[in-house]
Amino acid sequence: MNRPRIFRLLLVALLFSTLELSAQTLADRLGYPAGTKLIIVHADDLGETHAVNAAAMKALQLGTINSASLMVPCPWFPEMADYAKAHPDADFGLHLTLTSERVYYRWGPVASADKVPSLVDENGYFHHDWEPGEHINPKEVELELRAQIARALAMGVRPTHLDSHQYRLIMNGKELFDVMLRVAHEYKLPVFVNRDWFAAYPYLEASLGPGDIILDHTVTIEPEVPPEKWAEFYLTALKNLKPGVTEFVIHPGYDDEELRAATRERPSWGAAWRQRDFDFFTSDQFREILAQQKIQLITWRELVRAAAAK
Amino acid sequence: MNRPRIFRLLLVALLFSTLELSAQTLADRLGYPAGTKLIIVHADDLGETHAVNAAAMKALQLGTINSASLMVPCPWFPEMADYAKAHPDADFGLHLTLTSERVYYRWGPVASADKVPSLVDENGYFHHDWEPGEHINPKEVELELRAQIARALAMGVRPTHLDSHQYRLIMNGKELFDVMLRVAHEYKLPVFVNRDWFAAYPYLEASLGPGDIILDHTVTIEPEVPPEKWAEFYLTALKNLKPGVTEFVIHPGYDDEELRAATRERPSWGAAWRQRDFDFFTSDQFREILAQQKIQLITWRELVRAAAAK
C-alpha cells in the first residue's frame, strides 16, 4: 500500500466522520436515543390580537400546543404578560417584532420613535413591509430589541427563547442576525434557528457557536396549501418527520370578528388560516398521529435545561 | 327722579340684559328659532377597538348617531382613518387621548416616548390613570396633541372638532385646557365644551373667547344607572331636553369577544355598557322620541359652518 493511497483512505474516512458529525441531531447531542423524533408545537404572534391570545391560551391548556412567542410591541401583549405571570412554567419566548404588517390595525416600536427612524414609516408605525433597498439600521434594531426585552422583563415575563416575527432578523443578512444573536447571548437565551436554513443563509452557521442550540428542522404551512388540504399537509409532514428536533411554526387563532377585521386585506395568515391551525393542532387526529408515529413533544425550556446539563 | 335712582334702574336693566345674553343659547346665536332643541349624538372612543369601530360605522350608516371622535394613538385608528377618507362628509373629530385606561390591552403616545416622559408609565404606555399629584407636563401634552393631529392629517382624516378622552384636558386645570384650546385655535377647530361645566371649572369660561363655539348642555350616562334603566334614562333626558345644542356623549360598541376581553377588569364603559348604548341609539324608540319631541340632529360640521356664516 503506497502512501498516497493511505492518505486518500484517511481523507475519505475523515470526510465521512465529518458528515457523520454534521448529521448528528440536536436530539442525539442532548442524549436522546438515536432516531428519536421530537417536536415543539410553537404558536406565533401572541399579543397581536385577542383572537390569537385566546386561541393560544386554550390550546396551551389542552396541551398539544406547548410553546409560543409573544409580540411585545402589540396592544394585546399585556394580556399575555398577565397570563405568563400566572403560568410561570409555560414555554414563552419573545417574538421580536420589527414590522406592522397589517393595514387596518397597526403598532409601532417600544423604543422612542425618534431613536429608531429607520424602523418606522411616516406615521410612526413599524413599516408595513421592508421594501428592497430599505435601509434598516442595525444599531436601531439593537436598541429596539433591547427595549422589547426590557418591557417584557419589567412586565414579569421570563422568556425561554427568542425568535423573529416574519423571520426579519434571520433572512435579512448577517448584520441583523448578529445583532439578534448578540442580544440573545447577553440575556442567555437561545435563538430559534435550524439547520435547514443554513444552505440558503450560510451566515447563520458562520455566526453560531458551539454553545448555541440549533434545531434540526422546521415545518410551517405556506399559502400554496389550499384550505381543504390543511390537515393532509400536517399529517404528511408528521408521517415523514425526520429524527431530531423539529419546530412546527404555527399560527392558531379564532376566526372571529376581530381577527377577520384585522387581517381582511389578504387571506395569508388570516383569520380562517389561523382557525385551521387551531383546529388541526387541537384535534384528536393530531394526538393520534403523535402516538402512532412515536413523536415526543419538547419545549424550549427542556432544550435549554438539557443543553445546560451537558 | 334723582340721579342715584336712575343709576340703580340702569344697573338693574344692565344686569337683566347680561342675564339675557348669558341665557342666549348657541342655537339662538346660530339663527335657529327660539326654543329649538338640537342634539349631536356623538360616539366616543373610535379607534380603540374594532368592536367600537364596527358598531359606530353601523350606527353612522343608520343615521341616528351622527358624530364621533377618533383616538389616534390606538391600534385600530387606521381602520377609522380609512373609513373617514371614504366618507369625507362624516362628522369626525379627534378624541385627544392621554391615558390608556384598560389593563389587558394598552397603547402609548404618538410622540416619541422620551419626549413625553410625564405622560407614560414605566412600560412606555400612557398612564392607566393620573394619580393625584401626578405631574403632567403641559409642554409634553402640547407635543403629544400636535403629534396626534399630525398623524390624523397625514393619514387623510379632516377632523371637524377636538374633544378630550376621559375629559382629561377639560377637568385638570386651566393650564392643560389652555394647551388644548391653543392647539385647537391654531388648527381652526372647535373644542367640545359646554356651559354646564362652567360652574365647576370656571377657567373654561375665562379662557374661551367670543369666536369659540360653546355647546349648551351635555347628556352622558353614568355607572349609577342600572342596565335595565338604560333606555329610561335617555328617554327622560330627551323628554326634559332644554332648548339649545346638547351633545349626547355616548359609547356604542358590540358586546363581543374582543370588547369583553379588552374591558373585563370593570363593567363601567365595558362591553355590555357599549352594547346598550348601541341598542338604544339605533332603536325605533329613539327615532320616535326625536320626532315626538321635535328634536333636531345637528353635527359639528353644521355648527362650524353656521358659526362661520355669522
Side-chain angles (χ1 to χ4, degrees), chain B residues 91-159:
Chain B
D91 191 49
F92 288 132
L94 301 184
H95 200 50
L96 300 167
T97 298
L98 299 172
T99 45
S100 174
E101 71 275 16
R102 295 294 173 174
V103 171
Y104 303 102
Y105 176 72
R106 307 201 63 198
W107 53 85
V110 175
S112 280
D114 59 359
K115 294 276 186 3
V116 292
S118 77
L119 302 185
V120 297
D121 69 13
E122 67 280 13
N123 298 316
Y125 302 112
F126 279 135
H127 294 292
H128 177 266
D129 207 342
W130 289 354
E131 301 302 326
E134 188 89 61
H135 177 65
I136 301 298
N137 183 326
K139 287 206 174 65
E140 297 172 17
V141 168
E142 181 159 349
L143 193 78
E144 175 59 21
L145 299 190
R146 288 180 188 281
Q148 293 185 14
I149 296 169
R151 177 187 277 181
L153 293 173
M155 290 175 72
V157 177
R158 299 290 168 259

Side-chain angles (χ1 to χ4, degrees), chain B residues 168-179:
Chain B
R168 298 283 162 167
L169 295 161
I170 299 288
M171 300 181 174
N172 284 286
K174 180 171 167 58
E175 214 173 353
L176 293 192
F177 179 67
D178 286 353
V179 167

Side-chain angles (χ1 to χ4, degrees), chain B residues 201-307:
Chain B
Y201 308 100
Y203 53 81
L204 299 177
E205 191 168 16
S207 292
L208 290 159
D212 291 306
I213 293 176
I214 303 167
L215 302 198
D216 299 299
H217 312 291
T218 301
V219 171
T220 195
I221 206 160
E222 297 290 338
E224 292 69 36
V225 180
E228 67 277 11
K229 299 278 187 188
W230 221 253
E232 188 185 318
F233 171 88
Y234 286 126
L235 290 171
T236 304
L238 287 159
K239 281 178 195 157
N240 297 323
L241 199 69
K242 292 181 206 145
V245 182
T246 300
E247 179 160 312
F248 277 66
V249 177
I250 66 168
H251 300 85
Y254 288 136
D255 183 9
D256 67 7
E257 278 302 319
E258 178 205 17
L259 197 52
R260 276 196 292 274
T263 62
R264 68 184 181 267
E265 73 279 4
R266 59 178 161 91
S268 47
W269 293 272
W273 172 305
R274 289 170 193 257
Q275 183 72 52
R276 289 195 296 274
D277 267 6
F278 177 83
D279 290 346
F280 179 78
F281 286 96
T282 57
S283 69
D284 289 340
Q285 207 175 16
F286 176 54
R287 281 183 192 277
E288 284 156 15
I289 197 163
L290 291 185
Q292 188 197 88
Q293 300 289 322
K294 300 193 173 51
I295 296 166
Q296 298 178 41
L297 293 175
I298 194 168
T299 65
W300 279 97
R301 193 178 290 284
E302 293 166 89
L303 286 180
V304 170
R305 204 179 294 139

